[in-house]
Amino acid sequence: MRRIYDPGEPERLTPDYRDDVVFTWDSITSFHDAEPADGVHVITTEHGQLEILTGGSPWNVAQGPVLMIFSGAVQRDEGRPPPFFSGRGIATATGLPFIAITDPTLALRDDISLGWYAGNAWQDVQQDVFNLVLPLAETLGRDLWLVGGSAGGFAALDLGHQLGKRCSVLVWNPQTDIMEYSRSYVVAYLQAAFRVSSVKFAAEGWKRRGRQVMRRFGRRHSVVQGILPSQAPARLLYLQNSGDWHVQKHCSPYLEAHGYTPNGGNIWRRDADHVIWMTRFGEGHAPPPRECIIDLIKACIDPGTSILTTVRRLSASEFFGEQDERIQPRDLRPHADDVDKAVHAYVNDRNVTVCMDGVASGTAGLHWVVQVWNQQGVRIATSPLQRGWMSWPAPHSSEPLWCDIDVFDGLGHDLATRRLKIPAAR
């Protein structure tokens, strides 16, 4: 097979396997043909290698469940070298066989912490991981659980939608489109993985250019676009922290694209075994507590109980503590006219203020964003997401400016817009 891109393949960082026993294999096929013992396995693929850590002899079991765990952002303090395996402690606590896999792209450079297992110009990581796990998926089916959070959640969802009913998925706060993540991290990944210039991603349109780069190399960046709901894994629990900005940018597009509907309170479902649970378990993008992840895994693997029944039971027991239903994200599009009538916005001494008649801050996840434009129509500033009725200081300018204020519901639907003039600074 011809290499897609070879401007001089980079030298990979020297790994440190610490005290683990290491086995090497010259191909995925030779690994499959053996009965691999537990330890680190370094498997050569057509244009790279995969490194996995196994415990409980996952490839030697006749029936599940088995966990396959993907890493999120890694800590590269003090020059820590790859590989980066996550989940050994969690898997051990559940008593289940496990596979922890490191992201090969993180071995290209020591200044990136995210790769989403989406591959690079030299290695189709997504296809390699699929080829590696396919025989196990065909044996275990729904008892192969793909697990991960944030970037690892994206990888678990992506592989889950490729394997379909031959696996199940448990994720928390996942990205569902790499290009909707923070620009600095995405651009760092694109530079390392595809040797693109950061200059091309410094202005408007960087997301479009990023998507073009990944499509050019045949790497998937989204589990929202181009995937049919029928390609879903056998079971899916998508756990989303309700105070995380991922609700609007990642969770909402996914649930709408895949046909999830409200099922009361903070639960969305496609059916009894495909559930999105929006609840509060920390600040912002914080993951669930370790003990909660362990208990969730133990609850989800019960073959006789649906995911929906499990979530309802845990929600009723205040599994993540007492929840304020008032601030849970909701789809307010049916009430868009009422919201629009209630919104008030004004500028006072260059402070942009937004409030709503009779609606408390944070209700249903309501929030607003300000974009500021100069007289030439160039956007010069965007406010952070504002979750309460408050003021935001506009930038100073010697000329008058304009601002567009957009009010969104908790799922990111635009419900009301206001345009105001900001006077020139005195």
PDB file of all heavy atoms in Angstrom, residues 9-20:
ATOM      1  N   GLU A   9       9.473  10.512   7.565  1.00  0.00           N
ATOM      2  CA  GLU A   9       8.735  10.078   8.743  1.00  0.00           C
ATOM      3  C   GLU A   9       9.496  10.456  10.009  1.00  0.00           C
ATOM      4  O   GLU A   9      10.705  10.242  10.101  1.00  0.00           O
ATOM      5  CB  GLU A   9       8.521   8.568   8.673  1.00  0.00           C
ATOM      6  CG  GLU A   9       7.603   8.043   9.746  1.00  0.00           C
ATOM      7  CD  GLU A   9       7.164   6.618   9.457  1.00  0.00           C
ATOM      8  OE1 GLU A   9       7.178   6.232   8.275  1.00  0.00           O
ATOM      9  OE2 GLU A   9       6.803   5.918  10.413  1.00  0.00           O
ATOM     10  N   PRO A  10       8.822  11.018  11.000  1.00  0.00           N
ATOM     11  CA  PRO A  10       9.526  11.478  12.198  1.00  0.00           C
ATOM     12  C   PRO A  10      10.023  10.308  13.050  1.00  0.00           C
ATOM     13  O   PRO A  10       9.443   9.226  13.046  1.00  0.00           O
ATOM     14  CB  PRO A  10       8.454  12.274  12.947  1.00  0.00           C
ATOM     15  CG  PRO A  10       7.172  11.635  12.524  1.00  0.00           C
ATOM     16  CD  PRO A  10       7.380  11.249  11.087  1.00  0.00           C
ATOM     17  N   GLU A  11      11.074  10.573  13.779  1.00  0.00           N
ATOM     18  CA  GLU A  11      11.570   9.574  14.711  1.00  0.00           C
ATOM     19  C   GLU A  11      10.720   9.618  15.973  1.00  0.00           C
ATOM     20  O   GLU A  11      10.497  10.686  16.546  1.00  0.00           O
ATOM     21  CB  GLU A  11      13.025   9.858  15.057  1.00  0.00           C
ATOM     22  CG  GLU A  11      13.647   8.816  15.975  1.00  0.00           C
ATOM     23  CD  GLU A  11      15.127   9.075  16.216  1.00  0.00           C
ATOM     24  OE1 GLU A  11      15.706   9.886  15.471  1.00  0.00           O
ATOM     25  OE2 GLU A  11      15.683   8.472  17.147  1.00  0.00           O
ATOM     26  N   ARG A  12      10.232   8.474  16.396  1.00  0.00           N
ATOM     27  CA  ARG A  12       9.366   8.436  17.563  1.00  0.00           C
ATOM     28  C   ARG A  12      10.189   8.531  18.851  1.00  0.00           C
ATOM     29  O   ARG A  12      11.333   8.094  18.911  1.00  0.00           O
ATOM     30  CB  ARG A  12       8.531   7.154  17.550  1.00  0.00           C
ATOM     31  CG  ARG A  12       7.448   7.193  16.480  1.00  0.00           C
ATOM     32  CD  ARG A  12       6.756   5.853  16.294  1.00  0.00           C
ATOM     33  NE  ARG A  12       5.614   5.985  15.407  1.00  0.00           N
ATOM     34  CZ  ARG A  12       5.701   6.033  14.082  1.00  0.00           C
ATOM     35  NH1 ARG A  12       6.875   5.967  13.497  1.00  0.00           N
ATOM     36  NH2 ARG A  12       4.620   6.170  13.339  1.00  0.00           N
ATOM     37  N   LEU A  13       9.561   9.095  19.866  1.00  0.00           N
ATOM     38  CA  LEU A  13      10.227   9.248  21.152  1.00  0.00           C
ATOM     39  C   LEU A  13      10.532   7.885  21.764  1.00  0.00           C
ATOM     40  O   LEU A  13       9.773   6.924  21.594  1.00  0.00           O
ATOM     41  CB  LEU A  13       9.331  10.050  22.105  1.00  0.00           C
ATOM     42  CG  LEU A  13       8.942  11.464  21.633  1.00  0.00           C
ATOM     43  CD1 LEU A  13       7.935  12.072  22.613  1.00  0.00           C
ATOM     44  CD2 LEU A  13      10.168  12.355  21.513  1.00  0.00           C
ATOM     45  N   THR A  14      11.612   7.814  22.480  1.00  0.00           N
ATOM     46  CA  THR A  14      12.009   6.559  23.118  1.00  0.00           C
ATOM     47  C   THR A  14      11.047   6.230  24.252  1.00  0.00           C
ATOM     48  O   THR A  14      10.844   7.039  25.164  1.00  0.00           O
ATOM     49  CB  THR A  14      13.431   6.665  23.676  1.00  0.00           C
ATOM     50  OG1 THR A  14      14.330   6.994  22.605  1.00  0.00           O
ATOM     51  CG2 THR A  14      13.855   5.347  24.314  1.00  0.00           C
ATOM     52  N   PRO A  15      10.441   5.057  24.219  1.00  0.00           N
ATOM     53  CA  PRO A  15       9.466   4.708  25.258  1.00  0.00           C
ATOM     54  C   PRO A  15      10.138   4.293  26.561  1.00  0.00           C
ATOM     55  O   PRO A  15      11.301   3.881  26.589  1.00  0.00           O
ATOM     56  CB  PRO A  15       8.704   3.538  24.644  1.00  0.00           C
ATOM     57  CG  PRO A  15       9.706   2.882  23.732  1.00  0.00           C
ATOM     58  CD  PRO A  15      10.550   4.005  23.188  1.00  0.00           C
ATOM     59  N   ASP A  16       9.392   4.398  27.630  1.00  0.00           N
ATOM     60  CA  ASP A  16       9.824   3.910  28.936  1.00  0.00           C
ATOM     61  C   ASP A  16       8.713   3.010  29.475  1.00  0.00           C
ATOM     62  O   ASP A  16       7.659   3.496  29.887  1.00  0.00           O
ATOM     63  CB  ASP A  16      10.085   5.079  29.886  1.00  0.00           C
ATOM     64  CG  ASP A  16      10.527   4.620  31.269  1.00  0.00           C
ATOM     65  OD1 ASP A  16      10.648   3.391  31.479  1.00  0.00           O
ATOM     66  OD2 ASP A  16      10.727   5.481  32.147  1.00  0.00           O
ATOM     67  N   TYR A  17       8.944   1.711  29.465  1.00  0.00           N
ATOM     68  CA  TYR A  17       7.927   0.760  29.894  1.00  0.00           C
ATOM     69  C   TYR A  17       7.985   0.471  31.390  1.00  0.00           C
ATOM     70  O   TYR A  17       7.245  -0.375  31.896  1.00  0.00           O
ATOM     71  CB  TYR A  17       8.063  -0.544  29.101  1.00  0.00           C
ATOM     72  CG  TYR A  17       7.866  -0.341  27.611  1.00  0.00           C
ATOM     73  CD1 TYR A  17       8.922  -0.528  26.727  1.00  0.00           C
ATOM     74  CD2 TYR A  17       6.642   0.076  27.115  1.00  0.00           C
ATOM     75  CE1 TYR A  17       8.744  -0.330  25.354  1.00  0.00           C
ATOM     76  CE2 TYR A  17       6.454   0.278  25.757  1.00  0.00           C
ATOM     77  CZ  TYR A  17       7.517   0.076  24.880  1.00  0.00           C
ATOM     78  OH  TYR A  17       7.328   0.282  23.537  1.00  0.00           O
ATOM     79  N   ARG A  18       8.894   1.142  32.083  1.00  0.00           N
ATOM     80  CA  ARG A  18       9.019   1.024  33.533  1.00  0.00           C
ATOM     81  C   ARG A  18       9.217  -0.438  33.936  1.00  0.00           C
ATOM     82  O   ARG A  18      10.093  -1.102  33.407  1.00  0.00           O
ATOM     83  CB  ARG A  18       7.825   1.689  34.206  1.00  0.00           C
ATOM     84  CG  ARG A  18       7.743   3.198  33.820  1.00  0.00           C
ATOM     85  CD  ARG A  18       6.432   3.837  34.187  1.00  0.00           C
ATOM     86  NE  ARG A  18       6.409   5.229  33.714  1.00  0.00           N
ATOM     87  CZ  ARG A  18       6.035   5.596  32.487  1.00  0.00           C
ATOM     88  NH1 ARG A  18       5.640   4.689  31.615  1.00  0.00           N
ATOM     89  NH2 ARG A  18       6.047   6.866  32.133  1.00  0.00           N
ATOM     90  N   ASP A  19       8.387  -0.946  34.834  1.00  0.00           N
ATOM     91  CA  ASP A  19       8.608  -2.304  35.336  1.00  0.00           C
ATOM     92  C   ASP A  19       7.731  -3.357  34.667  1.00  0.00           C
ATOM     93  O   ASP A  19       7.693  -4.516  35.109  1.00  0.00           O
ATOM     94  CB  ASP A  19       8.368  -2.337  36.854  1.00  0.00           C
ATOM     95  CG  ASP A  19       9.340  -1.456  37.603  1.00  0.00           C
ATOM     96  OD1 ASP A  19      10.497  -1.355  37.158  1.00  0.00           O
ATOM     97  OD2 ASP A  19       8.944  -0.857  38.624  1.00  0.00           O
ATOM     98  N   ASP A  20       7.006  -2.960  33.620  1.00  0.00           N
ATOM     99  CA  ASP A  20       6.108  -3.919  32.977  1.00  0.00           C
ATOM    100  C   ASP A  20       6.892  -4.886  32.074  1.00  0.00           C
ATOM    101  O   ASP A  20       7.895  -4.519  31.455  1.00  0.00           O
ATOM    102  CB  ASP A  20       5.068  -3.180  32.123  1.00  0.00           C
ATOM    103  CG  ASP A  20       4.032  -2.462  32.977  1.00  0.00           C
ATOM    104  OD1 ASP A  20       3.445  -3.110  33.853  1.00  0.00           O
ATOM    105  OD2 ASP A  20       3.836  -1.248  32.775  1.00  0.00           O
TER     106      ASP A  20
END
